[in-house]
Amino acid sequence: EDQVTQSPEALRLQEGESSSLNCSYTVSGLRGLFWYRQDPGKGPEFLFTLYSAGEEKEKERLKATLTKKESFLHITAPKPEDSATYLCAVPPNSGYALNFGKGTSLLVTP
Amino acid sequence: GAGVSQSPSNKVTEKGKDVELRCDPISGHTALYWYRQSLGQGLEFLIYFQGNSAPDKSGLPSDRFSAERTGGSVSTLTIQRTQQEDSAVYLCASSRQGSGANVLTFGAGSRLTVL
């Protein structure tokens, strides 16, 4: 069964304290790995898509990387406005709907 | 429109009543998805529409749930005889193509509370 697992469930950082979020997946024949950000009371917002091992994408303080079994979302020198839930998702082997992990809730304190 | 619009944003209903949730996707997006997000849980796929093709209903949790999409645009998710376990945020998303590899744009969701 296709599965997406994210860790940790929650993470608390001080402003400027860099860290990484993990997303592991078991789907074979990966057709893209997606990262989304979700703020309270809002729908998820697209951040990145990665397609092949070794690929990296960057946006401001965020950098996403991909291996054959997992992806990391690195957050460098985070700010309080980076506080949100970060979701990882992959397309299934069959069908079209993305399979989402349960997310990592990030809190960055001043 | 500029984004995916969902209504109502909040709905409180009594157990056993029927509810309808509406989604207006981005103009030109042919694919439309419904997901459910319960407290502490990930996004749970419910149903997928692509153009005029038969919808993928494989995620609907029971026959109390149904959805339609009229004219390839607006979609309505209907929950009959609501139960307390139906309480959740119902999210709609649309994308340009039907492939799962495409980027989804989500609405803000409809929060359903069943008393």
Side-chain angles (χ1 to χ4, degrees):
Chain A
E1 179 181 335
D2 302 338
Q3 192 166 5
V4 181
T5 304
Q6 292 188 246
S7 63
E9 290 185 10
L11 181 62
R12 183 181 180 124
L13 300 173
Q14 284 198 321
E15 186 172 3
E17 180 185 3
S18 302
S19 189
S20 297
L21 314 182
N22 178 265
C23 170
S24 62
Y25 59 91
T26 57
V27 63
S28 59
L30 185 69
R31 296 184 289 126
L33 184 140
F34 296 74
W35 282 98
Y36 284 80
R37 168 187 171 134
Q38 186 173 23
D39 292 294
K42 296 186 177 181
E45 179 183 354
F46 171 75
L47 291 173
F48 305 108
T49 309
L50 302 166
Y51 288 102
S52 56
E55 186 175 0
E56 298 182 353
K57 293 275 181 73
E58 287 190 62
K59 180 179 180 180
E60 295 182 354
R61 296 173 293 282
L62 301 177
K63 182 170 78 173
T65 62
L66 182 66
T67 71
K68 289 185 177 180
K69 292 186 177 181
E70 59 191 348
S71 177
F72 292 93
L73 185 63
H74 306 278
I75 303 176
T76 302
K79 297 182 177 182
E81 52 262 42
D82 295 323
S83 297
T85 296
Y86 291 86
L87 299 167
C88 167
V90 298
N93 285 329
S94 62
Y96 297 101
L98 291 177
N99 289 327
F100 283 85
K102 292 186 178 180
T104 293
S105 177
L106 174 66
L107 176 64
V108 182
T109 58
Chain B
V4 177
S5 179
Q6 292 188 246
S7 62
S9 56
N10 280 287
K11 175 72 175 179
V12 179
T13 190
E14 293 181 346
K15 177 181 174 180
K17 295 288 181 66
D18 297 351
V19 297
E20 286 189 351
L21 307 176
R22 175 188 168 105
C23 173
D24 198 346
I26 292 174
S27 178
H29 280 194
T30 58
L32 186 147
Y33 306 76
W34 283 99
Y35 284 84
R36 177 169 71 175
Q37 188 172 35
S38 304
L39 190 63
Q41 300 298 313
L43 274 71
E44 176 189 4
F45 165 70
L46 297 177
I47 189 168
Y48 157 75
F49 296 90
Q50 166 54 25
N52 296 320
S53 302
D56 176 0
K57 303 179 181 180
S58 61
L60 294 178
S62 77
D63 58 8
R64 296 187 296 105
F65 288 73
S66 63
E68 62 177 19
R69 188 179 185 191
T70 55
S73 180
V74 172
S75 176
T76 301
L77 177 68
T78 301
I79 308 173
Q80 296 179 313
R81 305 180 302 281
T82 52
Q83 304 294 313
Q84 289 183 335
E85 61 261 30
D86 299 335
S87 296
V89 176
Y90 290 82
L91 291 162
C92 175
S94 67
S95 68
R96 288 188 179 278
Q97 297 178 18
S99 168
N102 280 291
V103 173
L104 305 185
T105 301
F106 284 85
S110 292
R111 179 177 296 278
L112 174 65
T113 302
V114 182
L115 301 177

